[in-house]
Amino acid sequence: MTERAPSPSLRRRARAIDRRLEAFYGPPRIPVPGDPVGVLVRALLSQNTSDRNSDQAFRRLRARFHTWSGVRDAPPHTVETLIRPAGLSAVRARRIQALLRILPVVRGEPSLAFVGDMPVEEAKAWLLGQTGIGPKTAAIVLLFGLGIPAFPVDTHVYRVARRIGLLPAGMSREAAHGWMEALVPPERYAPFHLLLVRHGRELCRARVPRCGGCPVQESCAFFTGQTAGRRL
């Protein structure tokens, strides 16, 4: 049975890991919120595909349409063709255009500003109530699109946090969002998220983690467990 909230000692360990990762990689560049709808579309394209493929799909879409109203009103097959590198293009195109259609129009463009005016939990609930938006996508839109505190748990964050021992054994990815928000101070949501993502890409890789050069070895449950096993 998992704990209902992170313990003070785990919060201290998370802060120490945060500091070590920032000392190792340097302070991450935090995107300035400015285009919440763009953040939403990019997040929808990134679901269950590689960053390379989703980035290519997003660039192709923006090169063809300079406004989100243009994407909203385009023939579905046009959007589908443009985002094909991300995969599942028919489903993604349908979802993106459906979401753009339900957003209120501000100065001629679909807008998420009304979500930014909601209390945090209400904003999360609205996003999660839309087809195709799960906890990760909702948190990305809130944090990087609207500047509202939320902790996105993507594949890298989930893997690294479990491996290090920041998440209780057996905790689902969905439950991990609330856990990480309770574990980390809100002002560190964005930087710690980005640091964990970078660590997961560069050292704490899925198949073979590069533990030898890891800056958080001493605080990592996986590394200390492996080391103990070799001593037996």
Side-chain angles (χ1 to χ4, degrees):
M1 185 175 180
T2 58
E3 300 173 61
R4 298 186 64 182
S7 65
S9 62
L10 187 61
R11 289 192 180 96
R12 288 192 294 272
R13 190 154 73 91
R15 183 68 189 107
I17 290 168
D18 185 7
R19 286 196 297 267
R20 289 181 193 138
L21 288 176
E22 185 162 283
F24 185 78
Y25 292 112
R29 180 177 173 273
I30 311 297
V32 177
D35 181 14
V37 176
V39 172
L40 172 59
V41 172
R42 185 184 285 273
L44 291 169
L45 291 171
S46 73
Q47 294 172 352
N48 302 310
T49 192
S50 69
D51 293 337
R52 178 180 179 182
N53 290 343
S54 63
D55 287 347
Q56 183 182 2
F58 186 81
R59 286 196 302 270
R60 284 162 55 105
L61 192 64
R62 290 304 273 163
R64 173 66 178 81
F65 298 105
H66 301 300
T67 65
W68 294 119
S69 58
V71 175
R72 178 196 61 201
D73 300 333
H77 71 271
T78 300
V79 177
E80 181 181 340
T81 299
L82 291 168
I83 66 173
R84 190 161 289 156
L88 299 173
S89 55
V91 174
R92 294 183 200 272
R94 187 163 58 249
R95 287 180 176 173
I96 288 169
Q97 289 190 300
L99 280 166
L100 291 175
R101 290 188 189 107
I102 67 171
L103 295 180
V105 175
V106 177
R107 291 189 290 276
E109 281 295 292
S111 172
L112 277 166
F114 73 102
V115 176
D117 293 334
M118 295 178 179
V120 177
E121 292 306 315
E122 187 178 337
K124 283 183 184 178
W126 187 90
L127 289 167
L128 291 171
Q130 311 311 311
T131 301
I133 298 183
K136 183 195 81 170
T137 299
I140 287 173
V141 172
L142 291 172
L143 183 63
F144 295 116
L146 295 164
I148 296 173
F151 200 109
V153 177
D154 67 357
T155 300
H156 298 295
V157 172
Y158 186 60
R159 180 182 70 252
V160 174
R162 289 176 68 198
R163 201 175 260 168
I164 290 175
L166 295 180
L167 296 178
M171 176 169 278
S172 68
R173 190 177 302 183
E174 290 72 22
H177 288 81
W179 181 270
M180 293 300 291
E181 288 177 356
L183 180 67
V184 180
E187 66 272 15
R188 294 302 299 175
Y189 286 176
F192 195 35
H193 164 84
L194 294 171
L195 288 166
L196 289 173
V197 169
R198 183 171 180 181
H199 192 53
R201 287 173 174 164
E202 298 190 14
L203 290 181
C204 199
R205 297 182 174 180
R207 293 186 179 180
V208 184
R210 298 178 175 179
C211 296
C214 177
V216 295
Q217 284 180 0
E218 296 177 0
S219 298
C220 177
F222 176 80
F223 179 78
T224 54
Q226 292 289 100
T227 303
R230 288 196 296 270
R231 290 173 180 167
L232 295 176

